Structure formats: structure tokens, C-alpha cells
Amino acid sequence: MSQQALDRIVAALSDIELIDPHSHINPHDPASHNLADILGYHYYTELAHSAGLPADRIEESDISPKELVSRLVPKLDSLDNTIQLSWLVEIARELLDVDIDRVTSDNWEQLYDAAEQKMSAPDWESEVLKRSKLKQVFLTNDFDDPLEGFDTDRYIPCLRTDDLVFHLHQPSVRERVANATGVEVTDAKSVWEALGKLFSHFKSKNAKACAISLPPDFVPTHVTDEDAEEAFMRLTDGRPSIEDRQVVSRFVFWSLAEMCAEHRLPFDLMIGVNRSVYPAGVHQGRDLYDSRCSLSQYAELFNFFPQVTFPVSVLAPTMNQELVSYAWIFPNVVTSGHWWYSNIPAHIEPDCRARLQAVPRTKQIGYYSDMYKLEFGLPKFAMYRRVLAKVLLEDFVIGHGWSEERAVDLGQTVLRSNVESIFFAD
Amino acid sequence: MSQQALDRIVAALSDIELIDPHSHINPHDPASHNLADILGYHYYTELAHSAGLPADRIEESDISPKELVSRLVPKLDSLDNTIQLSWLVEIARELLDVDIDRVTSDNWEQLYDAAEQKMSAPDWESEVLKRSKLKQVFLTNDFDDPLEGFDTDRYIPCLRTDDLVFHLHQPSVRERVANATGVEVTDAKSVWEALGKLFSHFKSKNAKACAISLPPDFVPTHVTDEDAEEAFMRLTDGRPSIEDRQVVSRFVFWSLAEMCAEHRLPFDLMIGVNRSVYPAGVHQGRDLYDSRCSLSQYAELFNFFPQVTFPVSVLAPTMNQELVSYAWIFPNVVTSGHWWYSNIPAHIEPDCRARLQAVPRTKQIGYYSDMYKLEFGLPKFAMYRRVLAKVLLEDFVIGHGWSEERAVDLGQTVLRSNVESIFFAD
Amino acid sequence: MSQQALDRIVAALSDIELIDPHSHINPHDPASHNLADILGYHYYTELAHSAGLPADRIEESDISPKELVSRLVPKLDSLDNTIQLSWLVEIARELLDVDIDRVTSDNWEQLYDAAEQKMSAPDWESEVLKRSKLKQVFLTNDFDDPLEGFDTDRYIPCLRTDDLVFHLHQPSVRERVANATGVEVTDAKSVWEALGKLFSHFKSKNAKACAISLPPDFVPTHVTDEDAEEAFMRLTDGRPSIEDRQVVSRFVFWSLAEMCAEHRLPFDLMIGVNRSVYPAGVHQGRDLYDSRCSLSQYAELFNFFPQVTFPVSVLAPTMNQELVSYAWIFPNVVTSGHWWYSNIPAHIEPDCRARLQAVPRTKQIGYYSDMYKLEFGLPKFAMYRRVLAKVLLEDFVIGHGWSEERAVDLGQTVLRSNVESIFFAD
């Protein structure tokens, strides 16, 4: 494999302006203010905790940002092999202009100060977007988010629906629905009415997707209105059984898919997460998965809603092989990014390779950042581009005798064009 | 990795005359007549459909071959990344002598005409076999195939038994059995009698294997004649329960294994397919799998029939790791090819690598084409040989210091010799 | 990838003196006496049997070592592709100073004689340890092993507990407990007392770990003393149900974890083996696995015992991805080696790569030999080092621009330092 050819392909892919189709950016405060905003990212806190730093050292209330960083830094040496640490070094070099190759007790304060200075510039947000070649960024919005006070063309709303599907038995969630829509959710009909209002609101604010994360044992099926009524009665009575909650979850989920059809929104499925498997972990560092999960659980859904596009992310790397096969056959199943525990080059490379070899090129969303702060877009997309370039070079330029231009064009399709054709088709 | 060494190994492997141990060739009409026979292969129709071409555009009755191709061609651009499209280009170049690197709206008619001209030559079938270095090709024959009117030394019969195991509850299948054997299947004893006649018939016609594809939830177990009788009674009464059908399936499957022992035929197990997961898909583009399947489901079978060789194919790539381990331990379990959704280089390479590192060389059937038309043998075996050559070079020549000759000899064993020793031993 | 750089990294890793954290060495007879001790290793006997050598040819009683070797040698040609055969060749070259590249009917007697001569030297054991750079080797000791008559600083005891957890319903096992501890095990309290004595004994003899292998369907949960009592009553009555045995297994397992906490011993979990799947196989060549197993089965355990370190090995290669994720999050979960069916480069490379990219470097035990005779340490660790060096070069030197020194330091951490920090912390 020629290093020069690889470098050329990486460079060509780096020229592509990006639309990030999934993030957790707060549009009212998108960029970091100091190094603690960077190191506070759950990947660092959970890895530092995993390497032995007690959770209360990290999550003590009222510690200053600088104090938090000072506590995390000594643990970074134990993590310096991880891809996440390489993102930190890349942020330092490419965004903060600090030329280091690791963060140590000796240099962290210098980095801290440089970060604070850079990040206090009034145009820092724009600067980060520009250096990252990010044109637009999708958000993850609570269903009752008013979606006001920010530029919805730069930060694209996305209706996140976990609470609606899995927590409607909580009075507080039903109250939030009532506040957001004026509808008291008490039965199938009122769910429909409420969802209709939420979708109309989101669509009016430029939302381009509906999204949800799902546990590995979730099996969506069609629940009739009649079957749902009894479960709703006990739900609002406050004494739903496990089965009632399951019926309601399935009913609301299915209704969301119907709304996606009606309002022509893709429905992002992020399949496979078990919440709070490690309850003593740090914030956002408690979830894991059970790889005994199959997309066959979703076959009924994919069949029932041919008019809805489902960009599917899987958490367990072993599930990528099913994802490739299901996207190969079902017109409405699209492969989507490399999620969370799958988001390391060791998994991205085989997953990306299989997708490029077997799924129509128009049905692949190459990557999304999943970031909480804008600064992570640059190193995460850079990591993906390097893997993508390697696969393009090995499998297409060398393997099939393609020109580099043709290979880069394929890269452009999965990196950028498909985001437009899939989410902005309407 | 030296490109020259790789090329030398590919070239040496390409000199090996092949016996294709599994295909769906129709021996009465083995080669294509026009480009529609090529593009009508389910891989293209299902991928084009997956990329957005409506099924009825593909499956409309009474459209001409040229019209079908004209409808598929505009979608090929969306598939040009897939390994299947690379087979098409390789067929064009290596068999049709048309030097293109993609099929477009501009060049397809030229290709169509060239194909029609080539394929109308009286020796086209022989020409394809010759260019593909194919000496013999295994078939997939219905149990009631008379196996007449073709050269059974060139096209080797194989008794396919899915209908017998899974559809004996259908009167039409029992009728076919009666027509083929003169035996009315009503109980365990008559099943035995009928199977005996089928096996004798197939053996007399040079059959070299019995084969079946199996769903992921199938668990073969020994069913006694007594246990089978009640189920058969209800089956022939026309009111079998799900359990009755399951008992009959297991009984017939086990009986087939006994017949394989008695008639000394290997029993090809193709494990893991769920039929019609996507019923609205195009013909042969409806099946998928559930990777939650284990070869431990077959342990009782492998133990019970030490005298029967089981060439095992798995559909879910994740199952390859179990297949390697089971073939490592069980003398009668043989790894067999790279089936369907596993048949892309991204999966073949790690699967082939693991097999070559851990399974006795004499117990590996490297590849079969699974083709419906002869023209696919060339690009499919070529794809496999390139992967095989890469693994031989990296793991054996570079990794163990083997000479290229020794590595090629290993390749020859899995590509050719084992097909002979496993299927032609008798 | 530069071959010279790879060679330099392999050489640097080869300079590291090793502590082997898991083996089955008999400390009273650690090294081989002849080639039959090498070829009698179950990997060779089971592969030769799998390739067609009848078990009774291998396991006939009263055959001489030379006769056994003479029977195995003709089958080695069928196995010469396996990584296990490459170990044999490497033993011949590096330890026996016989320069061969395969073992054949022509050269085996020469090798046999050379082995016998070398192995009869009084310092053979020390010579093997020296050439293998092995400083210390962990053992696998039955719970009633007196641990006497050998140097427990060179051969580190490890309390193996399979019998206690899974076979306590056998009177013979309870008798062995009584003989070893003076405690008749009849209820929860006496189990505690007996385990306390066993742990004290092992700790007094320099034991550094407790270990167990577990079937894929084992789900450890907390069993209260009260719940355990009834099961114990029926157990000692001799009429335990399957459920009773399960309750006792879980109770004893949980008690072992509590003992590990109290006595500050890491608890090695080797997850996923099904025993005697192929009962007609040769000794130690009968076990396989079912990959439908998840570390989520162990979440309750990991949460309940934050103070116990669990070095986890998985048998099914597909489970490595869960292992990486669980070690990424749980502070007390450590990745441990590449076990048995996962112990081939085809699986080690992706597994090692994922671990190095996502698990804190301090939480990875790179490799253990699992060997029965000392001679296997050299080729097995050499195999691992070559894979490790490749990953270090590709992912860290080339991928992240690290110096080779920094990459080798990471290698040293997983190869050696972590064994010390994890097992010798106390």
C-alpha cells in the first residue's frame, strides 16, 4: 500500500465540507470554554474511572474546571493507548495550536491556559466549525424542546423519543407531554394527537430526523389501538405491570414510525444499549450492551413501513454483519455511522469494508460525531476519514483498479451526499 | 507484502482446474443467452431493488430481456461499489471481451449486443467452462428430478432435501414423493422406504452429495419411530400442529443422515437462513438470517453420525468462528465455502485466515460458486483466489517462511484436492 | 509497513523477561522428557484425530512414547497449515536445535532422538526457562493440592475452583474438601469455613490468583444463605435436583468471590466452555462452546465486588468485543490473554487491536501460555509478540506517529508490567 496514495486520498476526503448527522451539541452553548469541557467528555471520565480514579473525585460538586482537569491528568498516562486520548492530542494540535504528543503533569497547565485563551475568543464556535469543515450539525432534542434561540439551519433539530417510548409510565414525562402539546396522554387516541403536535412543531423548526436508542431485548410489533387501551388505563392509574409498560412502549414506538411516514422524516434507530449496567459508574459511563440481539427483531417494522427510511446504528460490533445484510435487502434500511463502543478503528475498518463491498453506495451514512462539544468533530471525523481512505485505497484503487478520483467520489457519497439525499430529500 | 509475489501466487492458483462443489446450474440450460440472464441474477435485482427500483419494474411479466436490462442499468451506478458489480465487469472483460470498467447508460447496449453474439455461439457453454477452468459442476436437484438428458459426469447431481424436511405437511410435496418413488408417505416406515428409493436413484445417477439449507432455530435431534408415528398421523390427516411438523422435520432430517451413512454420501449443511423475511422483495431476494444460532445445536447430530461427513456452510459471518472450532475437533465436520451474505472479501478474508490457521488442511472445502448461470463461476472463483493468495502470502510465505510452492500446494488442497477426497472418495 | 521496523519491535519485545500468568504446568515435572510429551499435547492429538486418526490409536494403553509419535507423524502433513504445527517446528528449531521446516516420516526419528538427548540433560528445565525468557509461571492447582515439594516463587500457585463450584454434588469432591480442610461440607456455613481454610492455605503458599472456567449458560447471582440451605440439604442427601445443583453452584461461586475480596486475590474468569461436547474425542479434545453468551450475565457480579479484580478470558472470539467494552467501563474487569479457540493469530490480531485502542493500558494482561509442558512457552509467546508488534507498528508508530520506544513501552506494559501490578499488588 502506497503511503503517498493514502495521503492523497485522505487529503481529498478532507476537502469535503461535512454535515454531521448526529450529535448531542447544545446549540445554545455549542463549543467548549475550557479544557474541563473537553476532558469532562464521558469518554475521558469513564476511562479514567475505569483505570482507577474514584467516581467521587470526578463528580464532586463545586470543584473548579481547573481542579477537575488536575485530577484527571495523572490518570491519562494509563489511557494514552486509547483512541480517545489520540482525539485529545489532535484537538490540542489542530484546534488549540499546542504541539504536544501527550498530556502530562508537566504540560497540562500550559494546555489549559492555551485552551482557555483560544476558547474565549468571540468567534471560537465559528473557528471550530471552519477548521473542522463542518457546515451543519444535527442535534438530539428532547421532545419538549422549544427549539428556539438558535439557528436551526446550522444546528438541525432531531426529535429524540426515548422518553416517549420507554418512560411514559412516569407522571413527569406525561406532564412534559401535556406542557409541550396541551394534550393529556391517557389513551391511544391522545398519544396520536400529542405525537402529531410534536412532529408538526419539530417539522416547522426544520427537524430532519426522528431518533431513538433501543435496548437489545426490544422487539417492536404492531399493537392495535384496542390492545393498547387497557394498558394505558393501568398506566395512567399508576399501576402498570411490566407487560403494560411493554405494550405502551410498542404502541408509542409504532406510532412514531407512522408519524415518520406521515411527516416524511427518517427514523434513526440506535439499537442495542442496556442502560445503567454499571450504576456506580460516572455520568454517561454506565451503559453497556448484550450482543445477543438481532435485526430480525425489526423485520416486522421494516416490512410494515416501506415508506420510512431507517438509518440503523448498532452498538455491538458483531451486529454489523447483520446490518450489512439487512441494508443489502431492505430498501428502507440504511447503515448509519459507527456508534459508541463500535467507534474505534479496530471495529470501524472491518465494518466500513463490509458495507462498502455489499450495500448500495447510496444507502450508507458513513459517519456522525455523536459529540457533546464541537471540538470533537475534527478528530472524530479525521479518524473515520483515515479508515475510509485505507479501505478505498486497498479495496477499490488496488483491488478493483479504480482511479483515485473514482474512489474519492465513493468516499464523498458516504461522507456527505447521502446525508443530504437521505435527510434533506423532503 | 510484495505485489509480485502476490501476483505469482494468484497466477499459480489460477492454473488449477476446478470442480465446483455447489451451484444451482440448470444442466439443460447451463449458460446465459443474453445480458438479462446475467443481470437477472438475484444479486443484481435485489441490490437494484434495495437501491430504490420498484420490484414490479423488475418482475413485470412479458418484458423482453433487453427491456429488463434497460430498466436495471440506471440503478447500477448506485451499486458500483459492490463486489457483485465487480463480477459483472469481470464477466464483461474476461468472458465477453468487452473492455469496460463500469456499465452505464452509454455503454450497456454495446455490452448487450456483444453478449448476445458471444452467447449464441454453439460452443458457448464449453467456452465458458474452459475460460473458467471448470471441469465439473455440482448441481442442486429437487428430490424428484429424473436426472436425465444431461452429462452427469460434467454436471454432478446433488440431492437437495429442503422440501422433504420442511414441507412434507404439504400434500403437493407428498404427491411428488409418491410420483417419484411409488411410495405413499404416511408413517416412519414409508418415509424410510421412499428415502431409500430416492437415494438409490440419485446414487445410480452419479450423485455425490445430499444437501439442505436450515433455519437458525432448527435443532436436529433423534426422534424415535414411535414418537414420529403420531405426528405423521396428524400430518396426513391434514391437521398437524406446529409441534407435529417439527417432529416430522426432525425425523426426516435424521433419516436423511442415516441414508447418507448407508449410501456413503456427504451431507452438506447450509445453516442459518430465514426464508421470506422481506416478503415484498424480488425473487430470491427475501431471505435473511438471525445470527443467534450456534453449531452446538448440531452437536448431537455430529456425535450420532461419525461415519457421515458434514460439509458445513454458515450464513452469518459471526458463526465462522464456531465453524472453525467445530471442524478443529469433530472429524466429520468440514468447513465449506463462503455462503451468500458471507461471500464478500470483507468476510472471506478473516474466515479463510482462521480456517487455514486452525483446521486440518484436508478438512476445508475452499469455495463453491452457488451460481445459477455458468458465467458467474469465473469472477466468483477469481475473487476467492485473490483472497486466498493474500492469506497464503501473508500468513505462510511471510509469516512462516514457506516457499511460494508450498503455499500454493496448500491452496491447491483447499481449492481442488479436498473436493475430490471428500465427495469422490466412494 | 516496514519489515525492519517490525523486526526491531519484535526484537525489543523479545528482550522482556516474562511472567506467565496462566499455565497447567506440573511443577514436579515441568519439562518434557521426549517428543511424545510434546506431541501428546492435546492440540496435536485432537487435530490428528480430527484429521482422521482413530482415538484408540492415540490413546491405546501401554504404547511407548516412540510408538505414539510414530503413529502421529503420518497425520502431521494434514495439519501442517495449523498454527499449532508451527509451534512444533519452532520448538524443534529454537529449543532442540534441529533445523527443520516440517516433521515428516523421513526426519521424525532424528528429531525424536535429538529431543530425548536434549531433554535428558539435568538442566533442561532451566535451559527451557532461560531460552524462553520465563522468570515465573503460574500454575493451575486443584483445591486440595498440598503445594509442597516445589519452588512456589518460580511456579506460582493458583487456586482452580471448577470442582468446588460445579461438582460439589459428587460425594468424592466433598470428601476431598473434607480431607483438605477437615470440614464436612453440609451447608452454607461449612462451605464458608472450608473455603476460608483453602484460601488461607493457598495464600500461605504464595498463591496469586483464584481461577475458574465457566460454561456459556452460567449466570452468577447472589444466593442468600437461607436460599442455599435447602439445596444443600438435598445435595448431601444425594438427591439434588438440577435446580439445587445450580443454587449450590451459584452460592459457592459467589462465596469464592467474597473470599477473593477478603484474601485480596484476583479471580480469573475463563468464560464460555461447554465440556464434553464431543465425548468420543481424545483426552482434552472434547470441549467446545456456544457463542450465545454475554458478559451481561456477569454484570451483577462485577457490580457486587468492586474490590475484586476479574481478569476475564473469553472462549468465543465474538465475545472479545463485549470484553473490550466491559473492561472499558468496569474498573475491576481486566482483559486476559487469548484463550484456546481464540488463541490463533487470525483472532488474536483483531482482539489485541481492539483492546489496545479502547481499554486502559493498565488493565490488559496480554498473554498467557496455557501450556502443559514448559517447551510451549517459547513458541506461544513468540506468536503473540509477533502479532503485538504488528499492531504496535501499524496503529501506534504509523497510525499515531509514536516513536518505536514508546510503542515498545506499551507492549511491555501488557506483556509484563500488568502481570505484576495485577497479581503481585498485595
Side-chain angles (χ1 to χ4, degrees), chain A residues 45-46 49-50 53-59 276-287, chain C residues 299 302-306 329-332:
Chain A
T45 55
E46 76 199 14
H49 177 51
S50 175
L53 192 63
D56 56 16
R57 292 284 294 165
I58 297 166
E59 301 193 328
S276 213
V277 172
Y278 173 43
V282 297
H283 179 57
Q284 293 176 328
R286 296 164 191 157
D287 306 336
Chain C
F302 299 150
N303 277 300
F304 203 92
F305 294 101
I329 292 296
F330 277 100
N332 53 339

Side-chain angles (χ1 to χ4, degrees), chain A residues 264-280:
Chain A
R264 283 180 292 171
L265 278 183
F267 196 176
D268 289 336
L269 306 182
M270 312 187 80
I271 295 174
V273 62
N274 276 327
R275 300 292 176 184
S276 213
V277 172
Y278 173 43

Side-chain angles (χ1 to χ4, degrees), chain C residues 5-59:
Chain C
L6 187 66
D7 292 344
R8 280 195 301 271
I9 294 174
V10 169
L13 294 175
S14 301
D15 281 342
I16 298 166
E17 200 179 33
L18 301 166
I19 300 172
D20 181 354
H22 175 65
S23 83
H24 294 269
I25 290 295
N26 172 2
H28 306 289
D29 186 17
S32 297
H33 303 286
N34 52 52
L35 200 57
D37 286 345
I38 302 288
L39 274 172
Y41 188 39
H42 70 89
Y43 276 17
Y44 302 116
T45 55
E46 76 199 13
L47 282 167
H49 176 52
S50 175
L53 192 62
D56 54 16
R57 292 284 294 164
I58 297 166
E59 300 193 330

Side-chain angles (χ1 to χ4, degrees), chain A residues 62-63 170 174 192 221 242 274 291 313 335 358 374 413 418:
Chain A
D62 298 325
I63 53 171
Q170 297 175 4
R174 294 201 301 278
W192 266 79
T221 55
I242 297 281
N274 276 327
S291 52
S313 297
T335 63
L374 285 186
T413 303
N418 289 344

